[in-house]
Amino acid sequence: MGIENSSSNKVFGGWHKQYTHRSDVLGCDMRFAIFLPRQAGTGNRVPVMYWLSGLTCTDENFMQKAAAFRTASELGIAIVAPDTSPRGDHVPDDPDEAYDFGKGAGFYVNATQDPWARNYRMYDYITKELPALVRDHFPISDDTVISGHSMGGHGALMMALRNPGMFKSVTAFAPIANPINCPWGQKALGNYLGTDKSNWKAWDSSELMKLAISKDSQTPALVDQGDADGFLTEQLKPDTLFAAASQVNYPLNLRMHEGYDHSYYFITSFIQDHLRFHAWHLGIA
């Protein structure tokens, strides 16, 4: 599978690059960004953090706003940031052009309902197609961690819970922690997966965490949430995630932060903590 470089910028001794490629899984052209620290190359493979962004975002939001490169460079961690949904004129979108469904809002699930099922398979893209592509073209090791924000926080937690052992650790900022019980999640899951709500639970982090009883199924997790987040009560529901973790003694560190909102100001304030959390579980701290 080929990739095409569209931009390159040197930063903290490493490189931030954007690439486009044809996705067989999504049936469209996709773009992703990668940060390669200075330790990558010359026979040396580095671990990688996948970053999943939130509603309306692309690969650029985190890479341009999070201020993660200095610490990632010091630790020797690569970062891959995919887009949040399939793109293209032929890809179906919300008929009302709403921000919370369709393009920019793939919700990291595999859609089963028409007309979404052909293109909206972000789960398979993130867990299968994109990692294989990255390993084929870059000096990346098999040691992988995952993180995300809001809808991407939901994606990161859900993927770690559905795939024990795939990721050494998982972190999230203000994740949609219980999508089956919030307006964003109900709209997305109802359209992508159909009206049978029993099928939604397999994509809900709070529901999945209740099933993670054995230590082998528990990926260490760090979640940060601001108490001034305007979406906290209606959409995010971190208390539900905490209750699920308490039920099965899951290794979740959920931190509430006074005065912080849902923006990238929040993410830049604590991204170093997340990178060092991952580094510890990667054994490179």
Side-chain angles (χ1 to χ4, degrees), residues 168-185:
K168 299 289 188 182
S169 53
V170 56
T171 67
F173 291 87
I176 303 172
N178 189 208
I180 66 173
N181 288 315
C182 77
W184 280 340

Side-chain angles (χ1 to χ4, degrees), residues 199-216:
N199 294 328
W200 299 3
K201 291 184 177 182
W203 306 94
D204 183 295
S205 297
S206 293
E207 295 295 324
L208 290 166
M209 194 168 280
K210 294 175 186 176
L211 304 177
I213 298 172
S214 70
K215 295 299 181 183
D216 291 340

Side-chain angles (χ1 to χ4, degrees), residues 19 29 58 72 105 116 127 133 141 154 180 223 247 256 270:
Y19 289 89
D29 292 336
T58 69
W116 321 105
T127 60
L133 184 76
S141 74
H154 139 74
I180 66 173
V223 173
Q247 184 175 318
M256 294 295 297
F270 299 102

Side-chain angles (χ1 to χ4, degrees), residues 19-272:
Y19 289 89
T20 57
H21 72 101
R22 181 69 182 178
S23 169
D24 293 333
V25 168
L26 303 178
C28 65
D29 292 336
M30 290 293 286
R31 187 179 73 190
F32 69 91
I34 185 168
F35 169 71
L36 290 167
R38 60 181 179 272
Q39 296 90 335
T42 62
N44 186 41
R45 293 183 173 270
V46 296
V48 60
M49 180 183 83
Y50 282 85
W51 171 269
L52 307 185
S53 289
L55 292 167
T56 76
C57 292
T58 69
D59 61 291
E60 293 184 334
N61 296 74
F62 178 83
M63 292 303 209
Q64 294 182 5
K65 295 180 179 180
F69 297 148
R70 182 190 291 274
T71 301
S73 181
E74 292 173 357
L75 296 170
I77 298 175
I79 302 172
V80 172
D83 204 345
T84 51
S85 74
R87 306 278 182 173
D89 293 339
H90 68 289
V91 174
D93 198 3
D94 188 296
D96 298 321
E97 299 183 351
Y99 75 94
D100 58 354
F101 183 74
K103 294 179 186 178
F107 253 80
Y108 303 104
V109 302
N110 283 343
T112 59
Q113 305 300 301
D114 291 332
W116 321 105
R118 170 63 190 94
N119 303 108
Y120 285 80
R121 302 185 62 81
M122 289 298 294
Y123 176 81
D124 278 354
Y125 177 69
I126 300 297
T127 60
K128 298 177 182 177
E129 187 179 35
L130 184 59
L133 184 76
V134 168
R135 286 193 298 269
D136 284 347
H137 288 87
F138 303 101
I140 299 299
S141 74
D142 292 331
D143 292 330
T144 305
V145 297
I146 193 166
S147 187
H149 172 229
S150 193
M151 179 184 73
H154 139 74
L157 289 167
M158 175 267 292
M159 290 179 187
L161 287 161
R162 284 176 63 109
N163 298 278
M166 179 178 288
F167 306 103
K168 299 289 188 182
S169 53
V170 56
T171 67
F173 291 87
I176 303 172
N178 189 208
I180 66 173
N181 288 315
C182 77
W184 280 340
Q186 290 168 346
K187 179 178 181 179
L189 299 180
N191 280 297
Y192 291 138
L193 304 176
T195 57
D196 185 351
K197 295 184 178 180
S198 64
N199 294 328
W200 299 3
K201 291 184 177 182
W203 306 94
D204 183 295
S205 297
S206 293
E207 295 295 324
L208 290 166
M209 194 168 280
K210 294 175 186 176
L211 304 177
I213 298 172
S214 70
K215 295 299 181 183
D216 291 340
S217 65
Q218 297 180 342
T219 303
L222 169 65
V223 173
D224 280 329
Q225 174 65 61
D227 70 0
D229 191 320
F231 303 114
L232 177 60
T233 303
E234 183 180 28
Q235 302 283 11
L236 305 180
K237 302 184 181 297
D239 290 347
T240 306
L241 187 70
F242 183 77
S246 299
Q247 184 175 318
V248 296
N249 197 28
Y250 194 95
L252 167 68
N253 183 8
L254 173 60
R255 309 189 302 185
M256 294 295 297
H257 299 277
E258 182 180 359
Y260 285 92
D261 58 20
H262 200 70
S263 71
Y264 264 81
Y265 294 110
F266 174 46
I267 294 171
T268 58
S269 298
F270 299 102
I271 188 61
Q272 288 78 18

